[in-house]
Amino acid sequence: MKPYKKVLPYLLSGCMGLTGCYGPDTNGVVLEKKDNKVFVDTDNDKLADQVYFIAGHYDAQKYQAVYEYILPGDSVALNPSLSCGNGLNSADLKRVNGKTPDEIYELVKVRRAHNGKIR
């Protein structure tokens, strides 16, 4: 029993160190979108804090629809648990104006078929 008492604290501290980027969702505002990138301000200083790359994702059609739907000024909820730093991919984007990427994809698909407009 003694070896477990000596090893367990080190294992737990190592796991906590590895999960340092995991945290609660972050809210932000879209400042700009350009070249399949979405620039997001998370601390209301009017400067881009996060950049989301839309192209090259495994579910390209869905996230391309999300990219077409997003406009500057939209509010977004971000999931920073998948990546650390400023180069985040589209899977880190949880919600845009309260809608999930799946909901946005269906909305864009229906609206495009109905009247050709996204919004």
Side-chain angles (χ1 to χ4, degrees), residues 38-73:
V38 178
F39 299 89
V40 179
D41 175 22
T42 58
D43 58 2
N44 294 326
D45 63 354
K46 306 289 188 219
L47 299 172
D49 299 312
Q50 303 287 342
V51 178
Y52 285 84
F53 302 102
I54 300 295
H57 195 270
Y58 68 91
D59 200 357
Q61 287 182 336
K62 176 170 67 172
Y63 286 102
Q64 192 61 37
V66 171
Y67 179 76
E68 291 174 14
Y69 178 82
I70 288 176
L71 292 175

Short mmCIF file of all heavy atoms in Angstrom, two decimals, residues 38-73:
data_model
loop_
_atom_site.label_atom_id
_atom_site.label_comp_id
_atom_site.label_asym_id
_atom_site.label_seq_id
_atom_site.Cartn_x
_atom_site.Cartn_y
_atom_site.Cartn_z
N VAL A 38 -11.76 32.96 -39.04
CA VAL A 38 -12.66 33.80 -38.27
C VAL A 38 -11.87 34.38 -37.11
O VAL A 38 -11.28 33.63 -36.33
CB VAL A 38 -13.87 32.99 -37.76
CG1 VAL A 38 -14.77 33.86 -36.92
CG2 VAL A 38 -14.65 32.40 -38.92
N PHE A 39 -11.84 35.70 -36.99
CA PHE A 39 -11.10 36.38 -35.94
C PHE A 39 -12.07 36.78 -34.83
O PHE A 39 -13.06 37.46 -35.09
CB PHE A 39 -10.40 37.62 -36.51
CG PHE A 39 -9.42 37.29 -37.59
CD1 PHE A 39 -9.81 37.23 -38.92
CD2 PHE A 39 -8.10 37.00 -37.27
CE1 PHE A 39 -8.91 36.91 -39.92
CE2 PHE A 39 -7.19 36.69 -38.27
CZ PHE A 39 -7.59 36.63 -39.59
N VAL A 40 -11.78 36.33 -33.60
CA VAL A 40 -12.70 36.50 -32.48
C VAL A 40 -12.04 37.29 -31.36
O VAL A 40 -10.89 37.05 -31.00
CB VAL A 40 -13.14 35.11 -31.94
CG1 VAL A 40 -14.07 35.25 -30.76
CG2 VAL A 40 -13.80 34.30 -33.04
N ASP A 41 -12.80 38.25 -30.81
CA ASP A 41 -12.37 39.02 -29.65
C ASP A 41 -13.04 38.43 -28.42
O ASP A 41 -14.26 38.37 -28.34
CB ASP A 41 -12.78 40.48 -29.82
CG ASP A 41 -12.48 41.33 -28.61
OD1 ASP A 41 -11.60 40.95 -27.81
OD2 ASP A 41 -13.13 42.39 -28.46
N THR A 42 -12.24 37.97 -27.46
CA THR A 42 -12.80 37.33 -26.26
C THR A 42 -12.76 38.22 -25.03
O THR A 42 -13.37 37.88 -24.02
CB THR A 42 -12.05 36.02 -25.93
OG1 THR A 42 -10.67 36.31 -25.75
CG2 THR A 42 -12.24 35.00 -27.04
N ASP A 43 -12.07 39.36 -25.09
CA ASP A 43 -11.98 40.20 -23.89
C ASP A 43 -12.43 41.65 -24.12
O ASP A 43 -12.09 42.54 -23.36
CB ASP A 43 -10.56 40.17 -23.31
CG ASP A 43 -9.51 40.62 -24.31
OD1 ASP A 43 -9.87 40.99 -25.44
OD2 ASP A 43 -8.32 40.59 -23.96
N ASN A 44 -13.21 41.87 -25.16
CA ASN A 44 -13.83 43.17 -25.46
C ASN A 44 -12.84 44.33 -25.58
O ASN A 44 -13.14 45.45 -25.20
CB ASN A 44 -14.89 43.52 -24.40
CG ASN A 44 -16.05 42.57 -24.45
OD1 ASN A 44 -16.43 42.10 -25.51
ND2 ASN A 44 -16.61 42.26 -23.29
N ASP A 45 -11.67 44.06 -26.15
CA ASP A 45 -10.72 45.15 -26.38
C ASP A 45 -10.64 45.53 -27.86
O ASP A 45 -9.77 46.28 -28.26
CB ASP A 45 -9.34 44.79 -25.84
CG ASP A 45 -8.72 43.59 -26.54
OD1 ASP A 45 -9.40 42.97 -27.37
OD2 ASP A 45 -7.56 43.27 -26.23
N LYS A 46 -11.54 44.99 -28.68
CA LYS A 46 -11.62 45.26 -30.12
C LYS A 46 -10.41 44.75 -30.89
O LYS A 46 -10.16 45.18 -32.00
CB LYS A 46 -11.81 46.76 -30.41
CG LYS A 46 -12.98 47.39 -29.70
CD LYS A 46 -14.29 46.94 -30.27
CE LYS A 46 -15.40 47.77 -29.66
NZ LYS A 46 -16.57 47.03 -29.37
N LEU A 47 -9.64 43.82 -30.30
CA LEU A 47 -8.51 43.18 -30.96
C LEU A 47 -8.75 41.68 -30.99
O LEU A 47 -9.28 41.11 -30.03
CB LEU A 47 -7.21 43.49 -30.23
CG LEU A 47 -6.81 44.96 -30.13
CD1 LEU A 47 -5.60 45.11 -29.22
CD2 LEU A 47 -6.52 45.52 -31.51
N ALA A 48 -8.36 41.04 -32.07
CA ALA A 48 -8.57 39.60 -32.21
C ALA A 48 -7.71 38.83 -31.21
O ALA A 48 -6.50 39.01 -31.17
CB ALA A 48 -8.27 39.16 -33.63
N ASP A 49 -8.35 37.97 -30.44
CA ASP A 49 -7.65 37.13 -29.46
C ASP A 49 -7.52 35.69 -29.94
O ASP A 49 -6.60 34.99 -29.54
CB ASP A 49 -8.38 37.14 -28.12
CG ASP A 49 -8.47 38.54 -27.53
OD1 ASP A 49 -7.43 39.23 -27.51
OD2 ASP A 49 -9.57 38.94 -27.13
N GLN A 50 -8.45 35.24 -30.76
CA GLN A 50 -8.45 33.87 -31.27
C GLN A 50 -8.66 33.91 -32.78
O GLN A 50 -9.38 34.76 -33.29
CB GLN A 50 -9.57 33.03 -30.64
CG GLN A 50 -9.54 32.96 -29.15
CD GLN A 50 -8.43 32.07 -28.64
OE1 GLN A 50 -7.87 31.26 -29.36
NE2 GLN A 50 -8.08 32.22 -27.38
N VAL A 51 -8.05 32.96 -33.47
CA VAL A 51 -8.24 32.79 -34.91
C VAL A 51 -8.70 31.35 -35.14
O VAL A 51 -8.05 30.42 -34.69
CB VAL A 51 -6.94 33.06 -35.70
CG1 VAL A 51 -7.17 32.84 -37.18
CG2 VAL A 51 -6.43 34.45 -35.43
N TYR A 52 -9.82 31.18 -35.83
CA TYR A 52 -10.35 29.86 -36.11
C TYR A 52 -10.19 29.57 -37.59
O TYR A 52 -10.64 30.35 -38.43
CB TYR A 52 -11.82 29.77 -35.70
CG TYR A 52 -11.94 29.69 -34.22
CD1 TYR A 52 -11.93 30.82 -33.44
CD2 TYR A 52 -11.99 28.46 -33.58
CE1 TYR A 52 -12.00 30.75 -32.07
CE2 TYR A 52 -12.05 28.38 -32.22
CZ TYR A 52 -12.06 29.52 -31.47
OH TYR A 52 -12.10 29.45 -30.12
N PHE A 53 -9.54 28.46 -37.90
CA PHE A 53 -9.35 28.03 -39.29
C PHE A 53 -10.50 27.12 -39.67
O PHE A 53 -10.73 26.09 -39.04
CB PHE A 53 -8.02 27.28 -39.42
CG PHE A 53 -6.84 28.10 -39.00
CD1 PHE A 53 -6.24 27.91 -37.78
CD2 PHE A 53 -6.33 29.09 -39.84
CE1 PHE A 53 -5.17 28.67 -37.38
CE2 PHE A 53 -5.25 29.85 -39.45
CZ PHE A 53 -4.67 29.65 -38.23
N ILE A 54 -11.22 27.47 -40.73
CA ILE A 54 -12.39 26.70 -41.13
C ILE A 54 -12.04 25.63 -42.14
O ILE A 54 -12.53 24.52 -42.08
CB ILE A 54 -13.48 27.64 -41.70
CG1 ILE A 54 -13.89 28.67 -40.66
CG2 ILE A 54 -14.67 26.85 -42.20
CD1 ILE A 54 -14.57 28.13 -39.43
N ALA A 55 -11.17 25.90 -43.09
CA ALA A 55 -10.88 24.95 -44.18
C ALA A 55 -10.09 23.75 -43.67
O ALA A 55 -9.38 23.83 -42.68
CB ALA A 55 -10.09 25.65 -45.27
N GLY A 56 -10.21 22.65 -44.38
CA GLY A 56 -9.42 21.47 -44.09
C GLY A 56 -9.95 20.62 -42.96
O GLY A 56 -9.27 19.73 -42.48
N HIS A 57 -11.16 20.84 -42.53
CA HIS A 57 -11.74 20.07 -41.44
C HIS A 57 -12.36 18.80 -42.01
O HIS A 57 -12.75 18.75 -43.17
CB HIS A 57 -12.80 20.92 -40.73
CG HIS A 57 -13.21 20.38 -39.41
ND1 HIS A 57 -14.24 19.50 -39.29
CD2 HIS A 57 -12.71 20.56 -38.19
CE1 HIS A 57 -14.37 19.18 -38.02
NE2 HIS A 57 -13.45 19.81 -37.32
N TYR A 58 -12.46 17.76 -41.19
CA TYR A 58 -13.00 16.49 -41.67
C TYR A 58 -14.47 16.61 -42.08
O TYR A 58 -14.95 15.82 -42.88
CB TYR A 58 -12.83 15.40 -40.61
CG TYR A 58 -13.67 15.59 -39.38
CD1 TYR A 58 -14.93 15.03 -39.29
CD2 TYR A 58 -13.22 16.34 -38.31
CE1 TYR A 58 -15.72 15.22 -38.17
CE2 TYR A 58 -13.98 16.52 -37.19
CZ TYR A 58 -15.23 15.96 -37.12
OH TYR A 58 -16.00 16.14 -36.01
N ASP A 59 -15.19 17.56 -41.54
CA ASP A 59 -16.59 17.76 -41.88
C ASP A 59 -16.71 19.11 -42.60
O ASP A 59 -17.34 20.04 -42.13
CB ASP A 59 -17.43 17.73 -40.61
CG ASP A 59 -18.89 17.46 -40.89
OD1 ASP A 59 -19.25 17.36 -42.09
OD2 ASP A 59 -19.67 17.34 -39.94
N ALA A 60 -16.08 19.20 -43.76
CA ALA A 60 -15.89 20.47 -44.46
C ALA A 60 -17.19 21.15 -44.85
O ALA A 60 -17.30 22.36 -44.74
CB ALA A 60 -15.01 20.26 -45.68
N GLN A 61 -18.20 20.40 -45.31
CA GLN A 61 -19.45 21.02 -45.73
C GLN A 61 -20.14 21.73 -44.59
O GLN A 61 -20.63 22.84 -44.74
CB GLN A 61 -20.39 19.98 -46.32
CG GLN A 61 -19.99 19.49 -47.68
CD GLN A 61 -20.99 18.50 -48.22
OE1 GLN A 61 -21.71 17.85 -47.47
NE2 GLN A 61 -21.03 18.37 -49.54
N LYS A 62 -20.17 21.09 -43.43
CA LYS A 62 -20.83 21.69 -42.27
C LYS A 62 -20.12 22.98 -41.85
O LYS A 62 -20.75 24.01 -41.66
CB LYS A 62 -20.87 20.71 -41.11
CG LYS A 62 -21.47 21.30 -39.85
CD LYS A 62 -21.73 20.29 -38.77
CE LYS A 62 -20.50 19.70 -38.21
NZ LYS A 62 -20.73 18.86 -37.03
N TYR A 63 -18.81 22.93 -41.74
CA TYR A 63 -18.10 24.10 -41.26
C TYR A 63 -17.96 25.18 -42.32
O TYR A 63 -17.81 26.36 -42.00
CB TYR A 63 -16.76 23.70 -40.66
CG TYR A 63 -16.98 23.06 -39.32
CD1 TYR A 63 -16.91 21.68 -39.17
CD2 TYR A 63 -17.31 23.82 -38.22
CE1 TYR A 63 -17.16 21.09 -37.94
CE2 TYR A 63 -17.55 23.24 -36.99
CZ TYR A 63 -17.47 21.87 -36.85
OH TYR A 63 -17.73 21.31 -35.64
N GLN A 64 -18.05 24.82 -43.60
CA GLN A 64 -18.10 25.84 -44.64
C GLN A 64 -19.43 26.59 -44.56
O GLN A 64 -19.47 27.81 -44.74
CB GLN A 64 -17.90 25.23 -46.03
CG GLN A 64 -17.67 26.24 -47.11
CD GLN A 64 -16.41 27.07 -46.87
OE1 GLN A 64 -15.41 26.58 -46.39
NE2 GLN A 64 -16.48 28.35 -47.20
N ALA A 65 -20.51 25.88 -44.23
CA ALA A 65 -21.81 26.53 -44.03
C ALA A 65 -21.75 27.46 -42.82
O ALA A 65 -22.31 28.56 -42.85
CB ALA A 65 -22.90 25.49 -43.85
N VAL A 66 -21.06 27.05 -41.77
CA VAL A 66 -20.90 27.90 -40.59
C VAL A 66 -20.11 29.15 -40.96
O VAL A 66 -20.46 30.26 -40.56
CB VAL A 66 -20.20 27.13 -39.44
CG1 VAL A 66 -19.83 28.07 -38.31
CG2 VAL A 66 -21.09 26.01 -38.94
N TYR A 67 -19.07 28.98 -41.77
CA TYR A 67 -18.26 30.13 -42.20
C TYR A 67 -19.11 31.11 -43.01
O TYR A 67 -18.99 32.32 -42.85
CB TYR A 67 -17.05 29.66 -43.01
CG TYR A 67 -16.20 30.79 -43.51
CD1 TYR A 67 -15.35 31.47 -42.63
CD2 TYR A 67 -16.24 31.20 -44.83
CE1 TYR A 67 -14.57 32.52 -43.08
CE2 TYR A 67 -15.47 32.25 -45.28
CZ TYR A 67 -14.64 32.90 -44.40
OH TYR A 67 -13.87 33.94 -44.84
N GLU A 68 -19.95 30.59 -43.89
CA GLU A 68 -20.81 31.46 -44.69
C GLU A 68 -21.85 32.17 -43.81
O GLU A 68 -22.23 33.29 -44.09
CB GLU A 68 -21.51 30.65 -45.77
CG GLU A 68 -20.58 30.14 -46.84
CD GLU A 68 -21.27 29.22 -47.83
OE1 GLU A 68 -22.51 29.20 -47.85
OE2 GLU A 68 -20.55 28.53 -48.57
N TYR A 69 -22.29 31.51 -42.76
CA TYR A 69 -23.32 32.06 -41.87
C TYR A 69 -22.77 33.17 -40.97
O TYR A 69 -23.45 34.16 -40.70
CB TYR A 69 -23.90 30.94 -41.02
CG TYR A 69 -24.94 31.37 -40.03
CD1 TYR A 69 -26.27 31.56 -40.41
CD2 TYR A 69 -24.61 31.60 -38.70
CE1 TYR A 69 -27.23 31.96 -39.50
CE2 TYR A 69 -25.56 31.99 -37.78
CZ TYR A 69 -26.86 32.17 -38.19
OH TYR A 69 -27.81 32.56 -37.28
N ILE A 70 -21.54 33.03 -40.52
CA ILE A 70 -20.96 33.97 -39.57
C ILE A 70 -20.77 35.34 -40.21
O ILE A 70 -20.30 35.45 -41.33
CB ILE A 70 -19.60 33.45 -39.05
CG1 ILE A 70 -19.81 32.26 -38.13
CG2 ILE A 70 -18.82 34.53 -38.34
CD1 ILE A 70 -18.53 31.63 -37.66
N LEU A 71 -21.13 36.38 -39.45
CA LEU A 71 -20.90 37.76 -39.85
C LEU A 71 -20.20 38.49 -38.71
O LEU A 71 -20.34 38.11 -37.54
CB LEU A 71 -22.23 38.45 -40.14
CG LEU A 71 -23.00 37.97 -41.36
CD1 LEU A 71 -24.34 38.68 -41.44
CD2 LEU A 71 -22.21 38.20 -42.63
N PRO A 72 -19.43 39.52 -39.01
CA PRO A 72 -18.83 40.32 -37.94
C PRO A 72 -19.92 40.86 -37.00
O PRO A 72 -20.97 41.30 -37.45
CB PRO A 72 -18.13 41.46 -38.67
CG PRO A 72 -17.81 40.87 -40.01
CD PRO A 72 -18.97 39.96 -40.33
N GLY A 73 -19.67 40.75 -35.71
CA GLY A 73 -20.63 41.18 -34.70
C GLY A 73 -21.39 40.02 -34.07
O GLY A 73 -22.05 40.20 -33.06
#
